[in-house]
Amino acid sequence: MQDLTPLEIQKQTFSRAIKGYNHDEVRAYLHLVAEEIERLLRENDRLSREAAMLREDLEDHSNRERILKDTLLSAQKVAEDLTANARKEAELIVKDAELLSERVIGQAMQRVGDLERSITDLKIERRAVRNKLQITLDAVQQMVVMDAEQEANEEPLTALFRARNA
């Protein structure tokens, strides 16, 4: 059966036969059928346009969903990469801090050793100075004692003069 248009239905003619159908009734019925087909064609056209729009909307939504999924996956990957990089960087910072603290502690321990050696050297030098001072004091004490003895044994100048003249 070929596609009928409402106009074809309205223009359709039939041959006349004896005892046939009432011509006006057939015409009115064909007119009704043509109007119904026209309405159905318009409805079909409207539904086809609506279906096409819905297919476009569905395709747009599917594309957006795909883009959103891709974006979410990319964002998740970036977040994971950032987290991994931050974790690695934090580990490096901690290792650097540990190495620095070990170096600082080593330098401090070396400085403490140097200071202890300096203190020991200063104590030895202090003992040596104290011993020299003691020796000097002892020598001065002996000189004072000898001077006192000599003074006690000295005769006045007049006695020396008399002993020389005599």
Side-chain angles (χ1 to χ4, degrees), residues 64-92:
R64 287 179 184 171
E65 180 183 12
R66 182 182 46 76
I67 289 169
L68 282 174
K69 283 181 180 177
D70 291 347
T71 302
L72 285 174
L73 288 174
S74 294
Q76 185 177 7
K77 175 89 171 93
V78 167
E80 288 171 357
D81 290 348
L82 284 174
T83 302
N85 287 341
R87 194 170 282 126
K88 286 177 185 175
E89 190 172 335
E91 289 173 2
L92 287 175

mmCIF file of all heavy atoms in Angstrom, residues 64-92:
data_model
loop_
_atom_site.group_PDB
_atom_site.id
_atom_site.type_symbol
_atom_site.label_atom_id
_atom_site.label_comp_id
_atom_site.label_asym_id
_atom_site.label_seq_id
_atom_site.Cartn_x
_atom_site.Cartn_y
_atom_site.Cartn_z
ATOM 1 N N ARG A 64 27.823 15.055 27.731
ATOM 2 C CA ARG A 64 28.170 15.735 28.984
ATOM 3 C C ARG A 64 28.541 14.719 30.065
ATOM 4 O O ARG A 64 29.481 14.948 30.834
ATOM 5 C CB ARG A 64 27.002 16.603 29.456
ATOM 6 C CG ARG A 64 26.826 17.840 28.629
ATOM 7 C CD ARG A 64 25.673 18.666 29.097
ATOM 8 N NE ARG A 64 25.474 19.807 28.203
ATOM 9 C CZ ARG A 64 24.442 20.605 28.249
ATOM 10 N NH1 ARG A 64 23.495 20.401 29.151
ATOM 11 N NH2 ARG A 64 24.327 21.603 27.417
ATOM 12 N N GLU A 65 27.784 13.630 30.128
ATOM 13 C CA GLU A 65 28.087 12.597 31.134
ATOM 14 C C GLU A 65 29.468 12.016 30.886
ATOM 15 O O GLU A 65 30.257 11.839 31.814
ATOM 16 C CB GLU A 65 27.033 11.489 31.077
ATOM 17 C CG GLU A 65 27.270 10.384 32.089
ATOM 18 C CD GLU A 65 26.260 9.261 31.975
ATOM 19 O OE1 GLU A 65 25.509 9.201 30.987
ATOM 20 O OE2 GLU A 65 26.240 8.435 32.900
ATOM 21 N N ARG A 66 29.776 11.758 29.607
ATOM 22 C CA ARG A 66 31.095 11.218 29.265
ATOM 23 C C ARG A 66 32.185 12.231 29.637
ATOM 24 O O ARG A 66 33.210 11.872 30.225
ATOM 25 C CB ARG A 66 31.152 10.896 27.773
ATOM 26 C CG ARG A 66 32.473 10.283 27.319
ATOM 27 C CD ARG A 66 32.501 10.029 25.826
ATOM 28 N NE ARG A 66 32.031 11.123 25.015
ATOM 29 C CZ ARG A 66 32.716 12.240 24.749
ATOM 30 N NH1 ARG A 66 33.914 12.410 25.245
ATOM 31 N NH2 ARG A 66 32.212 13.178 23.977
ATOM 32 N N ILE A 67 31.927 13.517 29.312
ATOM 33 C CA ILE A 67 32.906 14.564 29.641
ATOM 34 C C ILE A 67 33.078 14.661 31.157
ATOM 35 O O ILE A 67 34.205 14.771 31.661
ATOM 36 C CB ILE A 67 32.462 15.919 29.031
ATOM 37 C CG1 ILE A 67 32.628 15.881 27.517
ATOM 38 C CG2 ILE A 67 33.263 17.069 29.616
ATOM 39 C CD1 ILE A 67 31.982 17.061 26.788
ATOM 40 N N LEU A 68 31.957 14.623 31.888
ATOM 41 C CA LEU A 68 32.035 14.684 33.356
ATOM 42 C C LEU A 68 32.804 13.497 33.920
ATOM 43 O O LEU A 68 33.632 13.652 34.820
ATOM 44 C CB LEU A 68 30.633 14.748 33.962
ATOM 45 C CG LEU A 68 29.937 16.099 33.905
ATOM 46 C CD1 LEU A 68 28.504 15.979 34.412
ATOM 47 C CD2 LEU A 68 30.684 17.131 34.718
ATOM 48 N N LYS A 69 32.518 12.309 33.368
ATOM 49 C CA LYS A 69 33.241 11.116 33.843
ATOM 50 C C LYS A 69 34.733 11.261 33.565
ATOM 51 O O LYS A 69 35.563 10.979 34.429
ATOM 52 C CB LYS A 69 32.704 9.856 33.163
ATOM 53 C CG LYS A 69 31.396 9.373 33.727
ATOM 54 C CD LYS A 69 30.936 8.105 33.027
ATOM 55 C CE LYS A 69 29.618 7.625 33.586
ATOM 56 N NZ LYS A 69 29.125 6.435 32.884
ATOM 57 N N ASP A 70 35.060 11.714 32.330
ATOM 58 C CA ASP A 70 36.474 11.908 31.986
ATOM 59 C C ASP A 70 37.110 12.953 32.893
ATOM 60 O O ASP A 70 38.239 12.786 33.361
ATOM 61 C CB ASP A 70 36.614 12.335 30.519
ATOM 62 C CG ASP A 70 36.261 11.219 29.541
ATOM 63 O OD1 ASP A 70 36.141 10.062 29.994
ATOM 64 O OD2 ASP A 70 36.095 11.514 28.339
ATOM 65 N N THR A 71 36.364 14.043 33.143
ATOM 66 C CA THR A 71 36.880 15.106 34.008
ATOM 67 C C THR A 71 37.089 14.603 35.423
ATOM 68 O O THR A 71 38.117 14.894 36.056
ATOM 69 C CB THR A 71 35.910 16.310 34.010
ATOM 70 O OG1 THR A 71 35.748 16.767 32.670
ATOM 71 C CG2 THR A 71 36.442 17.444 34.872
ATOM 72 N N LEU A 72 36.114 13.845 35.929
ATOM 73 C CA LEU A 72 36.251 13.287 37.282
ATOM 74 C C LEU A 72 37.436 12.333 37.368
ATOM 75 O O LEU A 72 38.194 12.362 38.344
ATOM 76 C CB LEU A 72 34.963 12.575 37.701
ATOM 77 C CG LEU A 72 33.792 13.478 38.076
ATOM 78 C CD1 LEU A 72 32.537 12.654 38.317
ATOM 79 C CD2 LEU A 72 34.117 14.292 39.311
ATOM 80 N N LEU A 73 37.589 11.502 36.345
ATOM 81 C CA LEU A 73 38.734 10.577 36.346
ATOM 82 C C LEU A 73 40.045 11.351 36.293
ATOM 83 O O LEU A 73 40.995 11.016 37.009
ATOM 84 C CB LEU A 73 38.630 9.609 35.164
ATOM 85 C CG LEU A 73 37.547 8.532 35.266
ATOM 86 C CD1 LEU A 73 37.461 7.731 33.969
ATOM 87 C CD2 LEU A 73 37.807 7.604 36.442
ATOM 88 N N SER A 74 40.072 12.395 35.453
ATOM 89 C CA SER A 74 41.293 13.217 35.372
ATOM 90 C C SER A 74 41.567 13.915 36.702
ATOM 91 O O SER A 74 42.708 13.951 37.167
ATOM 92 C CB SER A 74 41.146 14.269 34.274
ATOM 93 O OG SER A 74 41.064 13.654 33.009
ATOM 94 N N ALA A 75 40.507 14.468 37.302
ATOM 95 C CA ALA A 75 40.671 15.157 38.590
ATOM 96 C C ALA A 75 41.146 14.167 39.655
ATOM 97 O O ALA A 75 42.006 14.497 40.485
ATOM 98 C CB ALA A 75 39.362 15.809 39.018
ATOM 99 N N GLN A 76 40.585 12.967 39.632
ATOM 100 C CA GLN A 76 40.995 11.952 40.609
ATOM 101 C C GLN A 76 42.459 11.577 40.390
ATOM 102 O O GLN A 76 43.227 11.469 41.346
ATOM 103 C CB GLN A 76 40.103 10.724 40.477
ATOM 104 C CG GLN A 76 40.380 9.661 41.524
ATOM 105 C CD GLN A 76 39.429 8.478 41.403
ATOM 106 O OE1 GLN A 76 38.653 8.390 40.471
ATOM 107 N NE2 GLN A 76 39.501 7.576 42.355
ATOM 108 N N LYS A 77 42.858 11.435 39.130
ATOM 109 C CA LYS A 77 44.249 11.101 38.824
ATOM 110 C C LYS A 77 45.176 12.228 39.276
ATOM 111 O O LYS A 77 46.218 11.977 39.876
ATOM 112 C CB LYS A 77 44.386 10.867 37.308
ATOM 113 C CG LYS A 77 45.784 10.626 36.834
ATOM 114 C CD LYS A 77 46.141 9.171 36.866
ATOM 115 C CE LYS A 77 47.458 8.901 36.189
ATOM 116 N NZ LYS A 77 48.572 8.896 37.072
ATOM 117 N N VAL A 78 44.770 13.471 38.991
ATOM 118 C CA VAL A 78 45.581 14.622 39.400
ATOM 119 C C VAL A 78 45.692 14.670 40.921
ATOM 120 O O VAL A 78 46.775 14.897 41.474
ATOM 121 C CB VAL A 78 44.989 15.940 38.846
ATOM 122 C CG1 VAL A 78 45.602 17.151 39.507
ATOM 123 C CG2 VAL A 78 45.186 16.012 37.335
ATOM 124 N N ALA A 79 44.565 14.436 41.604
ATOM 125 C CA ALA A 79 44.577 14.446 43.070
ATOM 126 C C ALA A 79 45.494 13.343 43.606
ATOM 127 O O ALA A 79 46.265 13.566 44.547
ATOM 128 C CB ALA A 79 43.164 14.274 43.612
ATOM 129 N N GLU A 80 45.419 12.163 43.005
ATOM 130 C CA GLU A 80 46.286 11.069 43.442
ATOM 131 C C GLU A 80 47.752 11.407 43.189
ATOM 132 O O GLU A 80 48.613 11.150 44.027
ATOM 133 C CB GLU A 80 45.899 9.774 42.716
ATOM 134 C CG GLU A 80 44.579 9.189 43.177
ATOM 135 C CD GLU A 80 44.108 8.019 42.305
ATOM 136 O OE1 GLU A 80 44.785 7.699 41.295
ATOM 137 O OE2 GLU A 80 43.067 7.443 42.651
ATOM 138 N N ASP A 81 48.029 11.994 42.008
ATOM 139 C CA ASP A 81 49.403 12.395 41.686
ATOM 140 C C ASP A 81 49.898 13.458 42.659
ATOM 141 O O ASP A 81 51.035 13.394 43.140
ATOM 142 C CB ASP A 81 49.501 12.914 40.250
ATOM 143 C CG ASP A 81 49.331 11.811 39.212
ATOM 144 O OD1 ASP A 81 49.370 10.632 39.598
ATOM 145 O OD2 ASP A 81 49.154 12.141 38.017
ATOM 146 N N LEU A 82 49.043 14.443 42.937
ATOM 147 C CA LEU A 82 49.425 15.502 43.880
ATOM 148 C C LEU A 82 49.694 14.918 45.263
ATOM 149 O O LEU A 82 50.660 15.293 45.930
ATOM 150 C CB LEU A 82 48.330 16.567 43.959
ATOM 151 C CG LEU A 82 48.247 17.533 42.772
ATOM 152 C CD1 LEU A 82 47.023 18.435 42.910
ATOM 153 C CD2 LEU A 82 49.498 18.359 42.667
ATOM 154 N N THR A 83 48.829 14.007 45.685
ATOM 155 C CA THR A 83 49.010 13.385 46.999
ATOM 156 C C THR A 83 50.317 12.595 47.037
ATOM 157 O O THR A 83 51.084 12.696 48.002
ATOM 158 C CB THR A 83 47.821 12.456 47.317
ATOM 159 O OG1 THR A 83 46.608 13.219 47.263
ATOM 160 C CG2 THR A 83 47.958 11.805 48.667
ATOM 161 N N ALA A 84 50.575 11.835 45.979
ATOM 162 C CA ALA A 84 51.814 11.044 45.933
ATOM 163 C C ALA A 84 53.035 11.966 45.922
ATOM 164 O O ALA A 84 54.011 11.721 46.637
ATOM 165 C CB ALA A 84 51.811 10.138 44.695
ATOM 166 N N ASN A 85 52.967 13.032 45.115
ATOM 167 C CA ASN A 85 54.091 13.975 45.067
ATOM 168 C C ASN A 85 54.289 14.676 46.405
ATOM 169 O O ASN A 85 55.426 14.868 46.850
ATOM 170 C CB ASN A 85 53.868 15.003 43.960
ATOM 171 C CG ASN A 85 54.056 14.410 42.578
ATOM 172 O OD1 ASN A 85 54.669 13.370 42.419
ATOM 173 N ND2 ASN A 85 53.499 15.055 41.576
ATOM 174 N N ALA A 86 53.180 15.062 47.039
ATOM 175 C CA ALA A 86 53.281 15.718 48.353
ATOM 176 C C ALA A 86 53.881 14.763 49.378
ATOM 177 O O ALA A 86 54.712 15.163 50.202
ATOM 178 C CB ALA A 86 51.911 16.199 48.811
ATOM 179 N N ARG A 87 53.477 13.504 49.308
ATOM 180 C CA ARG A 87 54.010 12.503 50.240
ATOM 181 C C ARG A 87 55.516 12.327 50.012
ATOM 182 O O ARG A 87 56.305 12.297 50.965
ATOM 183 C CB ARG A 87 53.267 11.185 50.041
ATOM 184 C CG ARG A 87 53.497 10.182 51.152
ATOM 185 C CD ARG A 87 52.574 8.978 51.061
ATOM 186 N NE ARG A 87 51.264 9.348 51.569
ATOM 187 C CZ ARG A 87 50.127 9.184 50.902
ATOM 188 N NH1 ARG A 87 50.120 8.637 49.721
ATOM 189 N NH2 ARG A 87 48.976 9.557 51.422
ATOM 190 N N LYS A 88 55.924 12.239 48.734
ATOM 191 C CA LYS A 88 57.348 12.086 48.424
ATOM 192 C C LYS A 88 58.130 13.313 48.888
ATOM 193 O O LYS A 88 59.210 13.191 49.456
ATOM 194 C CB LYS A 88 57.546 11.882 46.922
ATOM 195 C CG LYS A 88 57.139 10.516 46.425
ATOM 196 C CD LYS A 88 57.296 10.401 44.929
ATOM 197 C CE LYS A 88 56.771 9.073 44.417
ATOM 198 N NZ LYS A 88 56.821 9.001 42.939
ATOM 199 N N GLU A 89 57.566 14.486 48.617
ATOM 200 C CA GLU A 89 58.243 15.715 49.023
ATOM 201 C C GLU A 89 58.368 15.791 50.544
ATOM 202 O O GLU A 89 59.415 16.192 51.068
ATOM 203 C CB GLU A 89 57.478 16.935 48.500
ATOM 204 C CG GLU A 89 58.215 18.230 48.653
ATOM 205 C CD GLU A 89 57.518 19.387 47.962
ATOM 206 O OE1 GLU A 89 56.771 19.159 47.004
ATOM 207 O OE2 GLU A 89 57.753 20.522 48.399
ATOM 208 N N ALA A 90 57.308 15.389 51.244
ATOM 209 C CA ALA A 90 57.359 15.389 52.713
ATOM 210 C C ALA A 90 58.435 14.427 53.203
ATOM 211 O O ALA A 90 59.178 14.741 54.138
ATOM 212 C CB ALA A 90 55.993 15.010 53.283
ATOM 213 N N GLU A 91 58.532 13.258 52.580
ATOM 214 C CA GLU A 91 59.567 12.295 52.968
ATOM 215 C C GLU A 91 60.956 12.884 52.735
ATOM 216 O O GLU A 91 61.859 12.719 53.567
ATOM 217 C CB GLU A 91 59.391 10.994 52.176
ATOM 218 C CG GLU A 91 58.179 10.177 52.601
ATOM 219 C CD GLU A 91 57.930 8.979 51.690
ATOM 220 O OE1 GLU A 91 58.714 8.743 50.741
ATOM 221 O OE2 GLU A 91 56.929 8.274 51.937
ATOM 222 N N LEU A 92 61.138 13.555 51.596
ATOM 223 C CA LEU A 92 62.437 14.177 51.318
ATOM 224 C C LEU A 92 62.759 15.272 52.329
ATOM 225 O O LEU A 92 63.897 15.383 52.788
ATOM 226 C CB LEU A 92 62.444 14.770 49.901
ATOM 227 C CG LEU A 92 62.510 13.761 48.755
ATOM 228 C CD1 LEU A 92 62.378 14.483 47.413
ATOM 229 C CD2 LEU A 92 63.790 12.958 48.800
#
